[in-house]
Amino acid sequence: MIYIKSKGEVEKMMRSGRITANVFETLKPYIKPGVTTAELDKIAKEYILSSEAKPSFLNYNGFPASICSSVNNVVIHGIPSNYKLCDGDIISIDVGCIKDGYHSDAARTFAVGNISDDAKKLIDVTQKSFFEGIRYAKQGERLFSISSTIQDYVEGNGFSIVRNYCGHGIGKNLHEDPEIPNYGKFGHGNRLMRNMTLAIEPMVNMGRAETNVLDDGWTVVTADGKLAAHYENTIVVTDGEPLILTMV
């Protein structure tokens, strides 16, 4: 069941979204060679707690950290560790928080030092595919028009869309209906309504779309070992341009 938010609920989600957006701003200076992903997790957690919020991911279904830190061929759900970032790595950071009972969720992929031109293009296309897709995130449009547009943009640039994982509704729960795949048939799916709150998140692979899950039960990697990128924001559907809650 898709839950439409009230004006007051949207305002609470806006406050949550600002905190999540600021996590990335807080982390940016530390995303450099020699820093461990566990250190990034600690910084993010401390910022969220200092903002009188709680990390959405910590202990969610047993996840052991406040951020997902997914390096190079890790698509999503990478667990922070003592791994030290290296020049040329790319890292996707997925983070959420709960404030006044409402969640927000966002992801970015960052360059560590000097990265290849192919990696730069992957990050750029992943981000742009999100903005292409949300052109259809407005009242009266169909959900899969977002999905189809993301797919077309990604595949048109020579990359592949991950199909085993998708975006989602969000609110009092971190994951709510509807599921939002990053592929689909334009003009199909649920009709979008004002004040639907959605976490839209293209996950893009440099090579094939197939993925595997490591033995830890969380870490999702590309099956061919090639790079992956991730970009996500929490948005609110309106009768015009969507509100993006997790951008500064």
Side-chain angles (χ1 to χ4, degrees), residues 15-148:
R15 291 194 285 274
S16 176
R18 280 195 293 271
I19 296 168
T20 292
N22 283 327
V23 170
F24 297 117
E25 299 305 306
T26 302
L27 288 177
K28 276 180 184 178
Y30 299 95
I31 299 173
K32 58 187 179 182
V35 175
T36 70
T37 55
E39 288 172 320
L40 297 178
D41 181 70
K42 183 175 184 288
I43 292 164
K45 180 182 179 182
E46 288 176 349
Y47 177 80
I48 293 169
L49 294 176
S50 73
S51 302
E52 299 182 342
K54 295 181 180 179
S56 293
F57 298 176
L58 184 61
N59 300 319
Y60 182 78
N61 291 334
F63 189 76
S66 298
I67 65 170
C68 298
S69 56
S70 303
V71 179
N72 294 334
N73 67 319
V74 180
V75 184
I76 51 173
H77 302 163
I79 298 173
S81 69
N82 291 326
Y83 175 80
K84 291 184 178 181
L85 296 176
C86 300
D87 188 67
D89 283 345
I90 65 173
I91 179 171
S92 298
I93 295 175
D94 191 357
V95 63
C97 80
I98 182 167
K99 171 78 171 175
D100 298 328
Y102 287 83
H103 291 271
S104 55
D105 188 5
R108 305 284 188 269
T109 302
F110 297 94
V112 182
N114 299 300
I115 64 172
S116 69
D117 289 342
D118 286 344
K120 290 176 184 176
K121 181 180 178 184
L122 175 67
I123 294 171
D124 184 61
V125 167
T126 303
Q127 178 175 332
K128 286 181 177 176
S129 73
F130 167 87
F131 289 100
E132 289 292 314
I134 66 166
R135 292 189 293 117
Y136 297 96
K138 62 179 67 174
Q139 181 173 274
E141 294 284 359
R142 295 282 188 177
L143 184 66
F144 292 168
S145 294
I146 301 171
S147 309
S148 173

Side-chain angles (χ1 to χ4, degrees), residues 175-248:
H175 292 96
E176 298 182 350
D177 290 334
E179 291 189 345
I180 310 167
N182 293 303
Y183 63 94
K185 190 171 182 180
F186 193 91
H188 286 240
N190 297 97
R191 183 80 69 181
L192 298 179
M193 300 175 63
R194 185 182 180 90
N195 284 3
M196 287 176 66
T197 48
L198 308 173
I200 296 172
E201 50 179 319
M203 291 157 270
V204 179
N205 292 351
M206 186 172 285
R208 304 196 315 271
E210 291 80 13
T211 62
N212 295 319
V213 181
L214 298 186
D215 290 343
D216 61 24
W218 284 104
T219 307
V220 178
V221 299
T222 57
D224 58 12
K226 294 186 178 180
L227 298 178
H230 186 195
Y231 188 86
E232 176 185 20
N233 281 301
T234 299
I235 70 165
V236 182
V237 175
T238 75
D239 54 6
E241 295 293 318
L243 298 177
I244 302 176
L245 303 186
T246 48
M247 288 184 67
V248 175

